[in-house]
């Protein structure tokens, strides 16, 4: 599945730096009420390299539209594939991948 999240994954001195930009409207309860739309925001993010979880977070409505995530981890090498998955309040899921350079 090709996702809508843009990911950059770079290895430097044994540490992988991830920069990810998710495409999502992130409508909080207050914003949705004002716009007369349905509430919907990303509630869970997980990143894996192979079977190893390298990042996991429960999120809330207080992230901005099209949220930007940045995190680092050790234990991967150039050529490994990072898989980043997020789920939102409506149950929609996005799975995006990037090769570590």
């Amino acid at each position: 599945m090709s996702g809508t999240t843009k990911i950059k994954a770079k290895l430097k001195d044994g540490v992988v730096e991830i920069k990810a930009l998710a495409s999502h409207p992130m409508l909080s309860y207050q914003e949705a009420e004002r716009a007369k739309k349905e509430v919907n925001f990303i509630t869970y993010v997980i990143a894996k390299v192979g079977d190893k979880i390298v990042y996991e977070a429960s999120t809330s409505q207080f992230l901005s539209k099209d949220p930007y995530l940045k995190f680092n981890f050790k234990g991967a090498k150039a050529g490994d594939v990072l898989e980043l998955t997020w789920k939102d309040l409506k149950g929609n899921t996005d799975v995006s991948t990037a090769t570590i350079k």
Side-chain angles (χ1 to χ4, degrees):
M1 175 179 189
S2 179
T4 59
T5 302
K6 295 177 185 177
I7 305 169
K8 289 185 180 179
K10 292 186 180 179
L11 176 66
K12 185 176 179 181
D13 299 327
V15 177
V16 179
E17 179 181 71
I18 302 298
K19 296 178 182 177
L21 181 64
S23 178
H24 196 281
M26 299 295 287
L27 287 175
S28 69
Y29 290 99
Q30 191 174 30
E31 291 167 328
E33 185 179 321
R34 214 177 304 135
K36 297 190 183 342
K37 293 185 177 181
E38 200 171 343
V39 174
N40 193 21
F41 49 87
I42 294 173
T43 59
Y44 180 70
V45 179
I46 188 167
K48 295 180 181 180
V49 174
D51 292 334
K52 181 182 175 187
I53 296 171
V54 295
Y55 180 80
E56 186 174 21
S58 293
T59 59
S60 73
Q61 64 183 339
F62 298 106
L63 291 176
S64 65
K65 177 182 176 184
D66 299 333
Y68 174 77
L69 303 169
K70 182 178 175 181
F71 58 93
N72 300 319
F73 66 92
K74 293 181 179 181
K77 61 186 181 304
D80 287 349
V81 175
L82 175 99
E83 179 183 274
L84 186 114
T85 304
W86 58 252
K87 295 179 184 179
D88 68 18
L89 200 58
K90 288 184 175 180
N92 299 319
T93 301
D94 180 85
V95 179
S96 300
T97 59
T99 302
I100 298 170
K101 296 181 180 186

